[in-house]
Amino acid sequence: MEKNPYLIPNTNRIYSNKRKQKIAKDILERYTGSTLGQFQKQIILTNFGYYMERFATLTNGVVTKGSAMSAVHSKKDGVSIVNFSIGSPTAALIIEVLAMVEPKAVLFLGMCGGLHRSLKKGDFIIPTAAIRDEGVSHHFMPRQVPALPTFKVQKFISQILVERSIDYRTGVVHTTDYRFWEFNDKFKADLYHERALAIDMETATLFVAGFASKVPIGALLLVSDLPLKRGGIKTKKSASSVFRQYTDLHLELGLKSMSEIAERGEHIRHYKW
């Protein structure tokens, strides 16, 4: 093959840096309390301890806790779940260290704030893209690179929802690292002009870091609050209600998607640059 004269070697890519791989393996095991060999090839990501508890119950698994995260592994289903906490920095970190597992598919089961007036709590969103309004993803890809999920992962998730006769929305999600944006009128006006369907704090980072690290990743988001509506900002009481009503269904859809994608899903191919 002819050598690309414009290629500048990037030693920051985890798949091409042996020293970084060694450190990443150590971080993954230390942060999750699990060994590399425990991780399955299909992985679910979440932000919430309650999801871990319910996943452990559904799969008869055991929660392992490390210094910063937790995990549950179901060998029977071929699926692991990791609670990486909240925010773009840890989202990017978990993708890079999970690259050591060489997963066949990763699915983010996250929660988001619904922005469009037609949305209601409990709705599902399969993002087609995410707006990179956070300070992490530029370390992986230039700003002009769009934050896109792995299409074949999203396609299979949508297939599972259709088979269950569950409605869902598709559209662009705005990812931000700006908390309490709800009190900034200029920010809210910008959201309207973007036509963003929902807002969260991790999706764009996960998509970009996944693309850069050759980790196939998709997302199934649950609308947990409606922050642009009067009284719609999430509270401790409303969050508890969302967990009780929707967590099991969210998890069941994610578990079914990841447990069956290896056999029923299309092969995912990574391009070489």
Side-chain angles (χ1 to χ4, degrees), residues 115-136:
L115 301 179
H116 195 270
R117 60 182 176 275
S118 67
L119 290 170
K120 61 184 184 301
K121 284 192 290 186
D123 283 346
F124 288 111
I125 294 175
I126 298 179
T128 53
I131 294 170
R132 299 171 60 185
D133 183 26
E134 34 69 49
V136 178

Side-chain angles (χ1 to χ4, degrees), residues 55-109:
F55 185 90
T57 299
L58 291 170
T59 63
N60 294 316
V62 177
V63 179
T64 67
K65 294 184 178 181
S67 60
M69 304 175 184
S70 57
V72 182
H73 311 283
S74 175
K75 191 172 183 179
K76 172 176 63 72
D77 298 295
V79 181
S80 295
I81 187 171
V82 178
N83 174 11
F84 66 90
S85 190
I86 293 175
S88 286
T90 53
L93 174 63
I94 192 59
I95 288 297
E96 282 211 282
V97 298
L98 281 177
M100 301 311 304
V101 181
E102 297 184 354
K104 294 180 179 177
V106 176
L107 178 64
F108 176 44
L109 295 182

Side-chain angles (χ1 to χ4, degrees), residues 168-229:
Y168 66 90
R169 308 294 184 88
T170 61
V172 176
V173 173
H174 184 113
T175 298
T176 183
D177 52 13
Y178 179 25
R179 202 59 191 93
F180 290 121
W181 60 264
E182 298 95 333
F183 301 93
N184 186 321
D185 290 339
K186 172 64 166 58
F187 187 93
K188 290 189 286 186
D190 289 343
L191 288 177
Y192 178 80
H193 290 297
E194 290 173 355
R195 302 298 193 265
L197 190 64
I199 186 167
D200 86 326
M201 300 181 73
E202 297 90 16
T203 298
T205 311
L206 290 168
F207 289 173
V208 173
F211 179 56
S213 305
K214 296 185 178 180
V215 174
I217 183 166
L220 176 62
L221 303 181
L222 174 70
V223 176
S224 60
D225 62 328
L226 305 166
L228 294 182
K229 294 186 177 181

Side-chain angles (χ1 to χ4, degrees), residues 122-161:
D123 283 346
F124 288 111
I125 294 175
I126 298 179
T128 53
I131 294 170
R132 299 171 60 185
D133 183 26
E134 34 69 49
V136 178
S137 62
H138 70 275
H139 294 296
F140 294 85
M141 285 285 171
R143 283 290 185 187
Q144 65 267 30
V145 177
L148 303 175
T150 303
F151 174 75
K152 291 180 180 179
V153 176
Q154 298 299 72
K155 180 182 177 183
F156 190 72
I157 298 162
S158 67
Q159 180 180 332
I160 294 298
L161 268 69

